[in-house]
Amino acid sequence: MKARLRAAAAALILGGLFVGLLAGVRDLPPIGDPSSPASTHVSPRFIEEARRETGALNMVTAVLADYRGYDTLGETAVIFAAGLGAFVILAASIGGPRRETPGPGLSHRVDSLLLDTAARVLAPFLLLFAVYVLVHGHVSPGGGFQGGVLFGLGLVTLRLVWGPPRPDRAASRFGPGVRASFLLASAGLLAYIAIGIAAMAFGGAFLDYGVLPLGQDPAHVRELATLGVEAAVFVAVSGTVAVLFETIAVGVAETGRPLPNEDPAPVEAREEG
Amino acid sequence: MIEALAGLLVALPLAGAALMPMVAVLRRRGTRWLAFGLHLLTFAAAAAVFARTAATGEAIAHRMGGWPGPFGIELRLDGLSALIALLVTGLSCFVASAPVDASRGATRRASPVREGLVRGALSMLVAGLVGIAATRDVFNLFVFLEISSLAVYTLVASGGGRATVAAFRYLIAGTAAGSLYLLGVGFLYGLTGTLNMDDLAARLPGVEADAALTAAVALIAAGLAIKAALFPLHGWLPDAYVFAPAPAAGFISAVMAKVSAYALLRLLGETLRGIPAGAMALETMVWLGTLGVLVGGGMALAQRDAPRMLAWSSVSAMGAILLAVGIGSPLALAGALFHVVAHALAKGCLFLGVGGLAETLGAGDRRALRGLGRRAPWTAAALTLAAFSMIGLPPTAGFSSKLLLLRASLAEGGPAGVAAFVALLASSGLAALYFLRVLEGIWFRPRPEGRPAQRLPRALAAPVLSLAVLVLLGGVFSAVVEREFVSGAVEAVAGATADER
C-alpha cells in the first residue's frame, strides 16, 4: 500500500513537471529562429569575431576552449572527480581482510596469441586516431574529450592483454597500473591549471592565453594555447578512463570474486558501517 | 594584485585536488601537511579578498580568459561572496589535517594512498563551493555545483558500508537537483541569450513570456532547494550526514547546504527578483522554511541516535536560513547570514565531536555520551557551548543570530512573518529539549557499565575546541561580527536590488 502510494506520488510529480515543461517550452522562441535572443545577443560576436580574436577555425572550439575555457576546466575537473570518486568508493574502500594471495585478476599478462595479435593490430590505430581527433578538433568536430576517451580505451586494450607496466609488482593493492593512471589524470588537470596560472604570471587574467610570450601575434598565440589546453584535457580524460579500468581491476583482484579458472576464496563481508 | 588572488581562490584548491592523488600514489605519504598547507593558503587568499571588499565596499572581479561580461565568464567577489568563500575555506582548514579514516570502530588505519585520494576529494569540494560563491555566470555555477556534488558523494561514501548507500541516495537526489537547475538555465538562455547574472537581471524585465519564465524560475528554485535541503526536499540529508566519516560530516554539515542557500539568495533574491515568478518563489520559501523549522525540530526530538538528532536539527536550521532569505529585508538577510556563520561553526563543532566520539565507540546512541563530562571535561565543555548556540542561548553566536531572525520576522509582520516568528521560537524550545537531554547525560550521568571510555582523537579535539571558542567569540562580540562580516554582505545584495528600483 505504501509502495503504491509512493509510486502514485512520484507519477503525479513527474506528470506535473511534464505539463509544466510543455507549457514553458511553448513560450520559448522556435528552434533555429534567427531573431531569437539566443541568436542575436551573444552569439553574433562568436560567429563574427572568433577567427580574428581567438585564431580558431572551429567556432565551437573557440567558445569551448577560449571564451568559456573556464567552464571546460571545470568539466575536466568533473571528469577527474568522477574517476577519483569511483576509485575511492569501489577500489580503495574495500573492507574486510585481504586475500592471502591476491588472485591474478587483471594484473597479469594474458597468454593468448589471439588476444596478443589483436591488441598489436588494434592499439596503434586506436592511439593514433585519438591524437588525430585531438589535433583535428581545431578545424572539425573533435577535441580533447573525445580524443582522450579513445586514447584511454587504447591504453585499456593494451593493459587488458599485456598486464600493467611492471607486472612483477602488480600484486600490491595500488600497483603500477593504478599509479600510472592517476599520474596521467592528475597531470592533465594540473597542466590545464598551469596554463591558466602561466597567463597570470605574464600579467593577464587566469587562462588569458593572449599574453603568453610565444613570439606570435595574440590571436595565433591563443590558437596554440587552445591546442595546449585541449591536449591537457586529452591527457586528463585518458588518464581517468584508465583509472576507471583500474578500479575494476583492483576490485577483481581484491574482493576475491573468482575468475572462471580460479578457486573461489571466502570473503568476509564488512559488518560495521 | 588582489584581482589575481580572486582568480587563484578556485584554482588553488583545484590544483590541490589534482596534486594530492598524484603525491599519494607516488610517495604514499605526506598529503596530510600538503593538504593543510594548501587549505591554509586558500584561506589566506580568501581572507585578503574579504578584507579588501570589507574595506572598500567594492567587489573584486576576475574575468576568466580576459573576456568581458556576457561573452566570457566572470568571477566577482562582493561582500556576500567573499563571506561565503571565507567561511568555506576557513572551515576546510579545521578538517584538512584530521585523519580521514576515523571510520566507525576504527580498528584499521586507512592506507596512506586512500587518505591522499580522500583529501583530494575534500580539496575538490572546496574548489567547487568557492567557485559557486565566486562566479557570476549561471552555467559556470552549474559546473561548480557538479564538481562539489561529485566530491561530496565521494567523501560521504568513503565511510564505507551504509555510508555508500547514503551517498548513493544523495547522488540520486543531487543529480535530479542538478538536472532541474540546468533545465532552468536552459530556459533562461533561450529567453535572453545570456548566462551572465548581471546581464540576465538587465534583460529579464524586457522578456514577455510568462509561462517560460515561470518554468525557468520554478526549475532553478526547485533544483537549488533540493541541494539546500529545504523542507520537503531534505530527504537526502540525514543519512548522508550520519554515515559520513566524522571529519567529512563536520565539514559537509557546516557548509554544504548553506552554499546552495547562498545560490538561492544570489539568483532568486538578486538576478530573478525583478520578475513576478521570482517574488512568488521567495514567498513560498518563507512558508516551506517555516514548516522545515518545525518538522526538523520535531524529528530531532524523536531521535535516539545523537548524530541523527544533529542531522535533523540541520534541516531545522536550513529552514530558518531559507525563510529569512525568502523574507529578504536587510534585517532578515543579516539574520540569515549571521545564522549561516553561527550554525556552521556550532554544527561543525558538534558533528566533529559527537561523530568522532561515536566512531571510536562504534555506536551513535546518545547514551554513549554519558559520563563524558568527567572523562573529558574540555571536549564536553566545547560540545555544551556549541549546543547552547544551537538552542540560541547567550552568550553564544546562535543567540545573536536567532535574535536577528526573530526581529526580522516580527518586522515583516503579516501571516508569514508571525508564523515564522512562532516557528523560530518553537524551534528554540524543541532544541532546548533535545540538546539538554544529551547535555544532562554528558554532565550528570555516570558512564554506563561495560562501555569503553570515550576519547576524541587528538586530530579532532583541536578543531572541536577552536570551533567552540569561535562560537563563544561570535556571541560575545556579536556587534563586531555583524558590523565587520555580515553588514557588507547584506549591502551587496540590498544594494543590487535597490539599483533596480
Side-chain angles (χ1 to χ4, degrees), chain A residues 152-190:
Chain A
L153 291 177
L155 293 180
V156 167
T157 308
L158 290 177
R159 167 78 176 72
L160 258 176
V161 179
W162 290 354
R166 285 163 68 189
D168 51 312
R169 296 174 54 190
S172 73
R173 178 179 289 199
F174 305 108
V178 173
R179 188 185 296 190
S181 313
F182 266 111
L183 283 185
L184 212 55
S186 289
L189 186 52
L190 277 178

Side-chain angles (χ1 to χ4, degrees), chain B residues 6-33:
Chain B
L8 285 178
L9 216 46
V10 181
L12 268 180
L14 203 59
L19 204 60
M20 268 176 267
M22 202 179 206
V23 173
V25 295
L26 275 185
R27 293 190 57 225
R28 291 163 185 265
R29 64 202 166 87
T31 53
R32 184 168 181 182
W33 298 112

Side-chain angles (χ1 to χ4, degrees), chain B residues 52-409:
Chain B
R52 175 62 74 88
T53 57
T56 62
E58 277 169 21
I60 296 167
H62 193 104
R63 290 171 171 173
M64 292 299 154
W67 300 111
F71 302 102
I73 295 163
E74 193 184 2
L75 298 193
R76 195 156 86 227
L77 288 127
D78 55 12
L80 175 59
S81 298
L83 176 69
I84 302 289
L86 190 71
L87 192 68
V88 170
T89 54
L91 278 161
S92 75
C93 294
F94 286 107
V95 295
S97 64
V100 297
D101 207 46
S103 69
R104 301 206 154 196
T107 49
R108 210 166 44 90
R109 265 189 68 80
S111 78
V113 176
R114 177 159 179 257
E115 284 209 331
L117 297 180
V118 175
R119 291 223 167 84
L122 176 69
S123 207
M124 188 68 93
L125 176 59
V126 172
L129 295 178
V130 173
I132 292 174
T135 188
R136 293 298 287 184
D137 187 281
V138 286
F139 182 79
N140 194 232
L141 196 149
F142 168 74
V143 172
F144 282 122
L145 210 59
E146 283 298 289
I147 291 179
S148 61
S149 301
L150 284 172
V152 85
Y153 307 147
T154 308
L155 284 177
V156 171
S158 69
R162 289 169 76 182
T164 320
V165 181
F168 185 70
R169 288 179 58 180
Y170 190 2
L171 184 146
I172 299 289
T175 307
S179 312
L180 292 177
Y181 175 80
L182 185 61
L183 265 174
V185 168
F187 270 97
L188 286 185
Y189 184 73
L191 291 171
T192 61
T194 185
L195 295 168
N196 182 283
M197 291 182 193
D198 305 303
D199 205 24
L200 270 174
R203 288 173 69 85
L204 274 174
V207 172
E208 289 168 5
D210 284 338
L213 265 184
T214 309
V217 172
L219 288 167
I220 287 176
L224 291 176
I226 295 176
K227 292 265 180 197
L230 175 64
F231 177 84
L233 306 171
H234 60 275
W236 57 267
L237 186 145
D239 276 359
Y241 285 13
V242 169
F243 293 117
F251 184 64
I252 296 168
S253 65
V255 296
M256 189 69 199
K258 296 188 188 70
V259 171
S260 296
Y262 155 83
L264 272 173
L265 169 59
R266 186 57 95 193
L267 288 174
L268 290 181
E270 214 178 280
T271 309
L272 303 173
R273 199 188 188 98
I275 53 181
M280 229 166 67
L282 286 176
E283 266 172 48
T284 316
M285 218 156 79
V286 177
W287 285 105
L288 290 180
T290 305
L291 277 175
V293 166
L294 291 175
V295 173
M299 288 300 288
L301 189 60
Q303 304 304 320
R304 287 169 50 88
D305 180 74
R308 197 166 281 279
M309 180 192 95
L310 292 177
W312 277 106
S313 116
S314 274
V315 174
S316 175
M318 286 315 298
I321 290 165
L322 290 168
L323 81 83
V325 169
I327 290 175
S329 63
L331 190 61
L333 291 183
L337 291 169
F338 205 136
H339 206 53
V340 163
V341 175
H343 184 260
L345 296 175
K347 194 46 79 63
C349 173
L350 283 168
F351 255 109
L352 282 176
V354 174
L357 286 170
E359 283 178 356
T360 50
L361 294 177
D365 190 322
R366 67 166 187 273
R367 269 173 296 188
L369 296 172
R370 280 186 184 167
L372 183 71
R374 206 158 302 161
R375 180 76 182 73
W378 284 104
T379 310
L383 295 182
T384 306
L385 258 179
F388 277 10
S389 178
M390 296 302 302
I391 301 168
L393 291 177
T396 59
F399 170 71
S400 316
S401 66
K402 275 259 168 85
L403 198 64
L404 273 175
L405 287 174
L406 286 171
R407 277 171 53 200
S409 49

Side-chain angles (χ1 to χ4, degrees), chain A residues 213-228:
Chain A
L214 297 178
Q216 311 259 4
D217 61 295
H220 202 81
V221 172
R222 279 189 171 273
E223 189 182 359
L224 285 177
T226 302
L227 189 61

Side-chain angles (χ1 to χ4, degrees), chain B residues 90-91 94-95 250 254 342 344-350 352 382 385-386 460-474:
Chain B
L91 278 161
F94 286 107
V95 295
L345 296 175
K347 194 46 79 63
C349 173
L350 283 168
L352 282 176
L385 258 179
L460 289 179
V464 166
L465 289 179
S466 32
L467 282 173
V469 169
L470 285 178
V471 166
L472 185 63
L473 289 179

